[in-house]
Amino acid sequence: MPSKTLTSYLPELSAFLFGRAKPSMVTVNLTNRCNQKCIYCEIGVDHPSIHKDVLSVSDLKWILDEMAENKIRKISLCGGEPFLFEGFIDVVAYAGNKQIRCSVTTNGMTAHLLKESELKILKETKTEVNISIDSFRESIQSFTRGSPVALQNALKSIQKLSEKGIPVTVLTAISKYNFRDLFQFLTEAYEKGIKQVLFQPIIYYSNYPERSPIENKSLLNVSTGELDILMDQLSKILRFERKHKINTNVYRIYPWIRYYLHTAASQNGKWFFDDVLEKFFCREIYAIIDISYDGGIQPCGLVPASVSIINNRDPGLMALWSNATVEIKNDLSNDRYYECCNGCCHHFSRNMLASMMKYPVKNRHALIKMMPFFLSRIMSRLLKKSLFLYGW
Ligand SMILES: C[S@@+](CC[C@H](N)C(=O)[O-])C[C@H]1O[C@@H](n2cnc3c(N)ncnc32)[C@H](O)[C@@H]1O
Ligand code: SF4
Ligand code: SF4
């Protein structure tokens, strides 16, 4: 896997030093169909009755052509369940031909059924696969993912992909159902040969803003009375990954997750990022083009689209995206945040880093607080690299 320094941190630094000329990636929800019923996902609790996707392979090819023309080299394929999108592998192969790297986020229900030729395409295009697993305890995984075969299939998929040399990252939603076992979860992931686990708390706004949020969604999060238990689990994970060949994003979420969960519980109208930063900056509305399963270009993942690629694509993707984001950019640059910004934890680590780079003086207290986490991470990565290099 290319080092994160090369793929993320250096391009980010250059974007801040020399300006961001264009977004760094596109994310597309290929479909709203799904084969799980996750308790924290609007698609899971309300599968659509219509079983035909709005987007087609030719729409995806248009998006990829536009990306290639504008030298945007990363696309994230999501959903719904992206493997249910007819022509999924054709899209990956087409992206590969255009030198665009795909990452796909899946529940792993069907990836183990891929044909050899399809696996070969994933491998040759260096597609990154993220598989969502909340727990290795079957009872918890079945409950949170709403399927009795969720764990079994995800593990089969990990095994199949790993056998073919396709790297898999595990994504874990931290909820009140699994937080007590996160450390145990990581050690088991390590034993299973998984190299990376990324955690995030529950987003309590709707993941699909055209749908109403699940009722009392924030109550799925860890309660404030149990935060110490969660923080203890995260500390243990930090210590474990310093010495083992597995990486997580815990060093990035540790500084803010407590504040996020407090706000989720109280919903007192306060911005949770005010507890973390003196000045907040949302990088995502400049760095990502978010395309919904109905072809809408969203101002960001949590805000509904008003511009579509389906009806009138003549202006081209970049012009449509500029149009779609003009209002949100104006609002946020005048500190007029949106209600959903308080529930936007999936982007917060990157936004936090971007805020500190953009406003280092205003955010100096945050910078001083975060520095030990970043330094310790860099040191442990260097140490691990040299130890593993010498066959430790
Ligand atoms: C929306 S799913 C789509 C891709 C695929 N169906 C899957 O589950 O991996 C993308 C990721 O978001 C996570 N997710 C969904 N709803 C969430 C929520 N309310 N809070 C945090 N993560 C959530 C899922 O667990 C998954 O890792
Ligand atoms: S999180 Fe993914 S697998 Fe679960 S219901 Fe939503 S789209 Fe389906
Ligand atoms: S912080 Fe607000 S504007 Fe930025 S991505 Fe999150 S919800 Fe969207």
Side-chain angles (χ1 to χ4, degrees):
M1 238 183 280
S3 134
K4 192 114 188 125
T5 314
L6 284 178
T7 58
S8 291
Y9 300 142
L10 286 183
E12 233 15 66
L13 189 63
S14 127
F16 276 98
L17 291 177
F18 309 111
R20 187 183 295 281
K22 57 179 191 312
S24 54
M25 71 180 294
V26 172
T27 122
V28 187
N29 285 338
L30 296 176
T31 174
N32 61 356
R33 291 181 297 130
C34 194
N35 42 17
Q36 286 190 343
K37 289 174 179 287
C38 303
I39 56 168
Y40 41 67
C41 173
E42 283 69 25
I43 284 184
V45 298
D46 186 15
H47 280 180
S49 47
I50 300 161
H51 292 286
K52 177 131 181 48
D53 294 332
V54 176
L55 291 174
S56 64
V57 171
S58 87
D59 291 326
L60 266 297
K61 286 185 176 171
W62 178 80
I63 293 170
L64 290 163
D65 288 342
E66 292 285 302
M67 288 174 67
E69 206 173 304
N70 290 288
K71 300 195 171 44
I72 301 173
R73 301 275 170 224
K74 281 201 280 187
I75 188 164
S76 160
L77 304 171
C78 214
E81 174 46 36
F83 278 93
L84 295 181
F85 180 75
E86 215 172 300
F88 170 77
I89 292 290
D90 297 339
V91 171
V92 172
Y94 194 81
N97 286 335
K98 299 255 161 192
Q99 276 81 50
I100 293 169
R101 173 80 71 93
C102 295
S103 76
V104 54
T105 299
T106 169
N107 55 32
M109 288 289 269
T110 57
H112 59 99
L113 301 173
L114 289 170
K115 295 186 207 128
E116 286 299 313
S117 57
E118 295 172 325
L119 289 162
K120 194 162 170 259
I121 291 173
L122 290 181
K123 167 113 176 117
E124 283 174 359
T125 52
K126 297 195 170 66
T127 296
E128 291 166 4
V129 183
N130 303 312
I131 296 191
S132 305
I133 304 180
D134 297 333
S135 177
F136 292 124
R137 286 212 216 164
E138 199 154 343
S139 57
I140 297 179
Q141 172 78 352
S142 302
F143 175 69
T144 59
R145 309 290 303 182
S147 160
V149 286
L151 182 60
Q152 187 183 312
N153 283 333
L155 290 177
K156 277 199 251 175
S157 294
I158 290 179
Q159 191 175 349
K160 183 74 170 242
L161 292 162
S162 304
E163 275 166 18
K164 300 290 168 195
I166 299 163
V168 174
T169 289
V170 166
L171 303 187
T172 301
I174 303 175
S175 69
K176 65 177 176 182
Y177 300 103
N178 65 353
F179 77 101
R180 291 172 190 277
D181 292 328
L182 293 182
F183 175 62
Q184 167 85 13
F185 177 77
L186 188 80
T187 57
E188 282 183 46
Y190 172 73
E191 279 156 19
K192 291 181 196 309
I194 293 162
K195 298 279 185 292
Q196 177 152 265
V197 180
L198 304 179
F199 297 96
Q200 73 170 1
I202 302 296
I203 302 162
Y204 57 94
Y205 283 83
S206 177
N207 286 336
Y208 305 91
E210 70 292 346
R211 292 168 179 236
S212 315
I214 292 164
E215 218 174 308
N216 292 325
K217 201 176 177 189
S218 64
L219 295 181
L220 296 171
N221 267 311
V222 180
S223 72
T224 46
E226 292 173 310
L227 275 180
D228 288 343
I229 301 172
L230 170 66
M231 298 313 282
D232 181 55
Q233 290 285 311
L234 297 180
S235 300
K236 284 183 176 155
I237 291 177
L238 277 177
R239 286 198 292 275
F240 184 85
E241 70 169 309
R242 260 178 224 145
K243 294 191 186 141
H244 297 83
K245 216 172 170 180
I246 186 163
N247 294 315
T248 76
N249 62 339
V250 167
Y251 78 104
R252 281 183 274 155
I253 65 169
Y254 195 96
W256 57 262
I257 191 168
R258 185 183 275 278
Y259 302 108
Y260 174 79
L261 292 171
H262 265 292
T263 305
S266 65
Q267 295 192 35
N268 56 10
K270 224 177 103 186
W271 300 114
F272 91 89
F273 42 77
D274 280 349
D275 286 329
V276 186
L277 296 158
E278 280 79 5
K279 175 100 181 124
F280 175 66
F281 170 69
C282 174
R283 157 201 183 273
E284 305 305 297
I285 54 174
Y286 298 93
I288 302 180
I289 301 181
D290 270 296
I291 303 180
S292 152
Y293 51 72
D294 59 6
I297 302 185
Q298 297 176 244
C300 80
L302 296 187
V303 177
S306 55
V307 172
S308 170
I309 64 152
I310 304 285
N311 305 326
N312 174 19
R313 55 175 66 160
D314 292 348
L317 182 63
M318 294 304 285
L320 289 172
W321 172 73
S322 293
N323 233 338
T325 50
V326 71
E327 193 178 333
I328 201 170
K329 284 174 181 158
N330 185 35
D331 283 341
L332 265 64
S333 59
N334 288 300
D335 292 348
R336 288 195 297 272
Y337 302 113
Y338 294 12
E339 214 188 313
C340 53
C341 296
N342 238 358
C344 185
C345 56
H346 52 321
H347 291 315
F348 191 70
S349 294
R350 259 178 302 181
N351 280 341
M352 179 181 75
L353 197 61
S355 304
M356 293 189 302
M357 284 162 90
K358 192 164 173 70
Y359 304 112
V361 178
K362 281 192 176 145
N363 285 321
R364 61 189 178 283
H365 298 299
L367 252 171
I368 292 166
K369 225 162 129 188
M370 311 303 173
M371 204 51 85
F373 289 99
F374 291 121
L375 287 179
S376 145
R377 170 66 167 202
I378 293 167
M379 291 305 291
S380 97
R381 287 298 288 259
L382 288 175
L383 193 69
K384 277 203 278 188
K385 266 199 180 132
S386 49
L387 287 173
F388 297 134
L389 211 63
Y390 292 105
W392 177 63

